Amino acid sequence: MGKSRILIIGVTGNLGFHLAKTSLQFSHPTFALFRDSAYSDPIKSQKLHSLSNSGATLLKGSLQDEASLLEAIKQVDVVICAVSSIQVLDQKLLISAIKQAGCIKRFIPSEFGVDPYKAQISDMDYNFYSWKAEIRRLVEAEGIPYTVISCNFFMSFLIPSLVQPDLEAPPRDKATIFGDGNTKGVFVKESDVAAFTISAVDDPRTLNKVLYLRPPGNVYSLNELIEIWESKIGKKLEKIYEPEEELLRKIKVIPYPNNMKRIFLYSAFIKGDHTYFDIESSGGVDGTKLSDKNLLHILNSGLWNIDGKHLMLRQWVPGILPHEMDFSTTTFWVQVHNLPIDYMNIDNAKRISQQLGLLHKIDLNDKGSITLGKYLRMKVEVEAYAPLKCGFLMDQSPQPDRWFDFRSKGYGSWLQANPIEQKSSRLVEIISSSKASSQDYMARASQNPTQTPDDSFHFRSESP
């Protein structure tokens, strides 16, 4: 069993896009559900093209279309929803589809904020948290395996203004401190939230749990934040302390939704909703205790080679015996050599990968396209004990078919051990279990011109 196949809903949003990019980076087969209307928005369209070029499978659908949801869900193992707060209740049809499909081993609903079960402002949040709590109760009632991500504030929210709700940039002269300024809030970058989330999908310790993200270096009071800013600008600010009663008065006077920033401020820095409870004693899981950056790098950044031998790695799961670990698949970087330049495009790379195994990633340049050079390069997951294909025939009708070699490199240089004897680091051509060359194959093919459908390909040509 290889990496979980992940469906992400809401990929054109900020967090959803980070989730999809991180899923691809961690070598998960990644599927992105999007609405037809997304292509009419230049920014959303650009995000979809970027994800497609990086190897994601784009699927048309919406939370209002049950048929499209079922079709998408049946292709994956994990569903992550990252829609906006106003769409939270739209997840009801998604939950119904997940229940019908019966194939999802983990669902991550769209919470990604303060735990709604812990929020102490349910009477003033305009259903912001109550709707999220309603969705979680529905997931629990349906018996769907889940993980909830509680990341509190995104780093892009309030921090750019130094938690001054009426400003867009940090103050230079005076700053308002709400309450006594000592209650602490938590801020996490969206990219880090995505990394924690993708790392959790296959972790049994997070099953049917709330994963709380509370990194020690991301927990600050208002007094501490202002002190850091003062140190940076080399100047003391005038501090205006606004008591709880005045903050509540402004929340009532300022119309919705313009008062929401102050409501979130009240939740975090007056009521202490980010930090007033102990994570483990409340039955949650501390994400920072699960994360090991070196471990994630080794598992997700391979492939690794020790003295010329391919090294297969799996993360150990507590309670599992070594012989019960699944090593039936592994991944390789494969090069496809000698393709005509106008055939070197992403569509053809995806088609070629289907004959090798499960596509994880296509090697792209900084512009999100394939560099026109000697070969196409892609990362694929294959059966570990099955013969590797040595190449493919390309249909060039009316011209004779042409044979092209696959060459494979199965390791990453970071963990490549120095061999006892100096050996060349050149790529080794993988020819199943034989030493036959492509010329040998062509000789055999000329004697037996009949080919199976899997041996012959039709490609689309593009102008370089």
Side-chain angles (χ1 to χ4, degrees):
M1 181 179 178
K3 293 271 189 175
S4 292
R5 298 164 296 172
I6 299 178
L7 171 66
I8 299 172
I9 301 171
V11 293
T12 57
N14 190 23
L15 177 61
F17 185 69
H18 279 294
L19 286 165
K21 295 291 283 187
T22 304
S23 177
L24 290 165
Q25 178 186 346
F26 283 15
S27 298
H28 286 277
T30 303
F31 298 75
L33 191 74
F34 71 99
R35 292 176 291 185
D36 273 331
S37 59
Y39 277 121
S40 62
D41 184 305
I43 295 177
K44 292 180 179 180
S45 178
Q46 183 179 15
K47 288 181 177 180
L48 291 174
H49 282 300
S50 174
L51 292 176
S52 178
N53 290 345
S54 297
T57 300
L58 302 186
L59 304 173
K60 290 184 180 180
S62 76
L63 290 176
Q64 290 75 39
D65 184 351
E66 185 175 29
S68 68
L69 291 175
L70 276 170
E71 183 180 355
I73 289 167
K74 289 178 180 179
Q75 300 181 55
V76 300
D77 311 298
V78 175
V79 176
I80 303 176
C81 191
V83 296
S84 66
S85 59
I86 61 175
Q87 295 178 279
V88 164
L89 292 183
D90 290 342
Q91 295 176 102
K92 289 184 177 180
L93 189 59
L94 173 63
I95 293 168
S96 174
I98 290 174
K99 184 71 172 180
Q100 289 183 56
C103 60
I104 298 304
K105 68 178 186 180
R106 195 75 62 96
F107 173 48
I108 299 180
S110 188
E111 287 198 18
F112 298 105
V114 174
D115 184 349
Y117 285 11
K118 297 288 192 293
Q120 304 173 89
I121 59 166
S122 58
D123 58 335
M124 59 186 294
D125 68 341
Y126 298 90
N127 294 317
F128 186 89
Y129 293 119
S130 59
W131 286 350
K132 292 184 177 183
E134 181 180 345
I135 290 299
R136 195 195 298 184
R137 286 193 295 269
L138 180 58
V139 172
E140 293 170 335
E142 292 291 350
I144 295 172
Y146 71 89
T147 297
V148 168
I149 309 298
S150 177
C151 57
N152 300 298
F153 286 157
F154 292 139
M155 195 74 76
S156 58
F157 180 69
L158 291 176
I159 281 290
S161 67
L162 201 65
V163 198
Q164 305 297 299
D166 296 323
L167 299 180
E168 298 296 329
R172 290 282 178 168
D173 298 312
K174 57 185 178 181
T176 301
I177 297 176
F178 302 93
D180 62 11
N182 293 323
T183 304
K184 297 190 176 187
V186 182
F187 300 84
V188 187
K189 287 179 64 177
E190 287 90 333
S191 58
D192 290 337
V193 174
F196 278 110
T197 302
I198 300 302
S199 298
V201 298
D202 289 324
D203 193 330
R205 295 170 294 180
T206 64
L207 179 61
N208 297 332
K209 297 284 188 178
V210 180
L211 183 67
Y212 293 97
L213 307 186
R214 199 187 289 176
N218 297 50
V219 182
Y220 286 96
S221 68
L222 293 177
N223 287 329
E224 290 170 332
L225 289 172
I226 290 174
E227 183 180 351
I228 293 171
W229 178 242
E230 288 176 330
S231 175
K232 184 175 181 63
I233 65 175
K235 178 184 178 181
K236 289 292 183 180
L237 301 180
E238 178 188 351
K239 300 173 182 64
I240 302 171
Y241 287 86
E242 185 173 296
E244 178 179 349
E245 296 75 14
E246 177 62 14
L247 178 57
L248 286 172
R249 185 191 70 80
K250 289 183 177 179
I251 289 173
K252 291 181 180 180
V253 171
I254 298 173
Y256 173 84
N258 296 331
N259 59 354
M260 286 304 295
K261 283 187 178 180
R262 283 180 166 82
I263 291 174
F264 293 135
L265 278 172
Y266 180 75
S267 168
F269 295 107
I270 300 296
K271 303 298 289 185
D273 285 345
H274 293 191
T275 56
Y276 77 86
F277 59 93
D278 178 73
I279 292 175
E280 294 179 353
S281 63
S282 68
V285 178
D286 187 343
T288 58
K289 293 184 179 180
L290 299 183
S291 175
D292 185 323
K293 290 184 177 180
N294 288 331
L295 173 64
L296 293 177
H297 174 74
I298 291 171
L299 290 175
N300 298 310
S301 300
L303 316 155
W304 309 123
N305 179 286
I306 302 295
D307 194 18
K309 305 297 189 297
H310 180 61
L311 179 64
M312 297 170 60
L313 298 172
R314 295 290 188 272
Q315 184 171 359
W316 174 73
V317 178
I320 298 296
L321 297 174
H323 71 271
E324 295 175 329
M325 299 292 288
D326 184 4
F327 287 91
S328 61
T329 63
T330 188
T331 49
F332 283 95
W333 278 105
V334 176
Q335 296 178 353
V336 185
H337 283 252
N338 302 319
L339 276 174
I341 289 179
D342 55 330
Y343 282 27
M344 297 182 69
N345 55 64
I346 293 171
D347 286 341
N348 288 341
K350 290 181 177 179
R351 297 189 65 187
I352 294 171
S353 70
Q354 293 174 3
Q355 303 301 319
L356 289 164
L358 186 63
L359 176 65
H360 281 206
K361 186 177 182 179
I362 300 172
D363 192 20
L364 304 175
N365 56 33
D366 294 338
K367 297 180 180 179
S369 60
I370 291 176
T371 299
L372 300 181
K374 295 181 178 179
Y375 51 80
L376 292 177
R377 185 171 179 263
M378 65 196 77
K379 189 177 183 181
V380 293
E381 180 179 338
V382 300
E383 294 182 21
Y385 303 104
L388 291 168
K389 292 197 173 184
C390 55
F392 66 95
L393 278 174
M394 183 170 68
D395 189 325
Q396 291 189 307
S397 301
Q399 301 298 320
D401 293 349
R402 291 183 62 188
W403 173 263
F404 296 93
D405 291 327
F406 289 141
R407 300 181 187 178
S408 177
K409 185 173 184 178
Y411 55 87
S413 59
W414 179 74
L415 202 63
Q416 182 181 352
N418 292 325
I420 297 175
E421 297 179 2
Q422 289 294 324
K423 300 178 181 179
S424 170
S425 60
R426 65 180 176 82
L427 299 175
V428 178
E429 187 175 359
I430 307 298
I431 309 282
S432 299
S433 58
S434 71
K435 297 294 184 179
S437 67
S438 57
Q439 288 80 7
D440 295 331
Y441 186 95
M442 289 300 294
R444 296 196 303 272
S446 64
Q447 296 172 3
N448 183 15
T450 303
Q451 302 294 333
T452 65
D454 283 346
D455 290 327
S456 184
F457 299 82
H458 295 265
F459 293 104
R460 188 180 74 176
S461 174
E462 289 184 359
S463 299

